[in-house]
Amino acid sequence: MDSLTIGSHISSAKGYEAMGKTAVSMDADTFAFFTRNPRGGKAKEIKPQDVEKYKEIAQRYHFGKIVAHAPYTMNACAAKEDLREFAKNTMKDDLERMEYIPGNYYNLHPGSHVGQGAQTGIVKIAEILNQVLDPKWGTTVLLETMAGKGTEVGKTFEELRQIMDLTECKERLGVCLDTCHVWDGGYDIVHDLDGVVQEFDRVIGLEHLKAIHLNDSQNLMGSHKDRHAKIGEGQIGLEALSAVTRHPAFRHLPFILETPNDEAGWAQEIRILRERAAS
Ligand code: FE
Ligand code: FE
Ligand code: ZN
């Protein structure tokens, strides 16, 4: 018996029941999906019947928590106020829609400061979170660790900690660690996973870590590139990524593959990682 909770990013185009079936077909027991077109735009209408069918599947196959992903176009620390307004409204709308499936996660990229400086970015992000987060939501919002491409905020554990410190509704806020991003950000999860885990615990606190994006990276540690690779085909490698799934600090969390793959490829990655986690 292995206890790994793992799945991949799945297209939400055909609705919830279809996502559940796709997950089952890949032997996944969690998954991620975009709440709307990743480039923005209006979200599709949710059909309660479709959600009910999904819930039956999730229960029957003992799914863990699933991890919705906010659109990439959301920038809570944009220089232009109308873009921040868009980010706020999108977040609120998504959280309202997530109420159909309460108890899960909503993952977002904190934002890009576009030259205003990380400190200004951090304050602006927390400001939006304070306008959106509310104990009434059944969803926990996860800030993703970022690679530091361009002017991304959240490339260090310290930056995420600062956002969290400025956020009032802490019970609805957590962190999602992306293995490609932290590697690209300069955290050596290949040679010193324990050290990175300790650093995360010291700066943020492991109790705030809620999900893992499990990706290999095309680039070297500290490259700040954010180019995902298939598991075992990048610079991190299968050995180190498998160690992430087995680490006592992580192994109870949902693992989401965001590798450049198709369903057959994800099914294979899931099989390999499950085998390694069990042995
Ligand atoms: Fe992401
Ligand atoms: Fe990610
Ligand atoms: Zn990425």
Side-chain angles (χ1 to χ4, degrees):
M1 269 293 282
D2 76 85
S3 60
L4 192 58
T5 303
I6 187 166
S8 74
H9 200 102
I10 291 177
S11 165
S12 59
K14 290 183 190 150
Y16 279 93
E17 186 190 10
M19 288 194 284
K21 283 181 171 169
T22 302
V24 169
S25 78
M26 297 189 294
D27 192 26
D29 51 5
T30 181
F31 62 94
F33 65 100
F34 282 118
T35 51
R36 61 189 69 220
N37 187 312
R39 311 252 161 252
K42 211 170 139 39
K44 259 181 56 186
E45 193 201 330
I46 292 177
K47 299 191 180 73
Q49 264 182 324
D50 179 43
V51 176
E52 281 317 307
K53 283 179 186 157
Y54 162 73
K55 282 181 177 170
E56 281 168 28
I57 295 171
Q59 204 174 23
R60 181 158 4 118
Y61 291 95
H62 307 288
F63 280 16
K65 288 183 189 295
I66 59 175
V67 190
H69 201 302
Y72 294 140
T73 42
M74 258 172 47
N75 188 3
C77 61
K80 294 186 181 136
E81 279 309 309
D82 58 326
L83 294 180
R84 295 183 67 218
E85 190 70 17
F86 169 80
K88 181 182 80 182
N89 293 336
T90 302
M91 243 186 259
K92 270 190 182 163
D93 186 50
D94 280 348
L95 287 173
E96 236 155 67
R97 294 156 55 81
M98 289 290 287
E99 290 300 289
Y100 281 99
I101 46 162
N104 290 297
Y105 297 131
Y106 178 66
N107 173 80
L108 57 91
H109 296 179
S112 291
H113 66 70
V114 292
Q116 303 166 94
Q119 285 311 311
T120 300
I122 285 162
V123 170
K124 285 189 167 187
I125 292 160
E127 197 177 79
I128 296 288
L129 289 173
N130 282 331
Q131 291 167 21
V132 173
L133 293 190
D134 190 305
K136 76 177 180 195
W137 300 122
T139 299
T140 298
V141 173
L142 306 184
L143 301 171
E144 184 167 347
T145 60
M146 301 309 293
K149 190 177 71 178
T151 62
E152 279 172 351
V153 178
K155 63 186 182 296
T156 62
F157 299 157
E158 282 79 2
E159 288 184 0
L160 292 180
R161 175 57 198 254
Q162 286 182 61
I163 297 170
M164 298 172 84
D165 280 344
L166 294 171
T167 305
E168 284 146 30
C169 183
K170 297 184 198 306
E171 72 264 39
R172 286 291 175 273
L173 190 62
V175 173
C176 171
L177 185 147
D178 186 310
T179 54
C180 168
H181 295 177
V182 295
W183 169 258
D184 282 23
Y187 292 96
D188 192 352
I189 55 172
V190 174
H191 304 100
D192 189 20
L193 181 58
D194 280 333
V196 176
V197 169
Q198 279 166 28
E199 182 71 359
F200 187 99
D201 193 32
R202 184 182 68 80
V203 177
I204 295 178
L206 280 169
E207 68 276 20
H208 299 293
L209 182 62
K210 304 297 182 189
I212 306 275
H213 284 173
L214 198 71
N215 303 306
D216 214 325
S217 171
Q218 289 185 20
N219 295 100
L220 297 174
M221 188 181 80
S223 64
H224 303 296
K225 286 264 174 50
D226 190 6
R227 299 284 304 276
H228 300 191
K230 293 178 187 176
I231 303 297
E233 294 187 13
Q235 299 295 327
I236 302 174
L238 172 60
E239 212 49 63
L241 290 166
S242 175
V244 168
T245 68
R246 296 191 311 262
H247 197 286
F250 297 155
R251 65 182 175 211
H252 60 287
L253 300 171
F255 291 90
I256 305 293
L257 299 160
E258 299 174 306
T259 48
N261 242 325
D262 53 16
E263 280 169 26
W266 286 316
Q268 196 188 352
E269 288 180 337
I270 289 167
R271 185 176 54 75
I272 291 167
L273 289 160
R274 282 197 189 285
E275 275 170 17
R276 289 196 161 231
S279 63

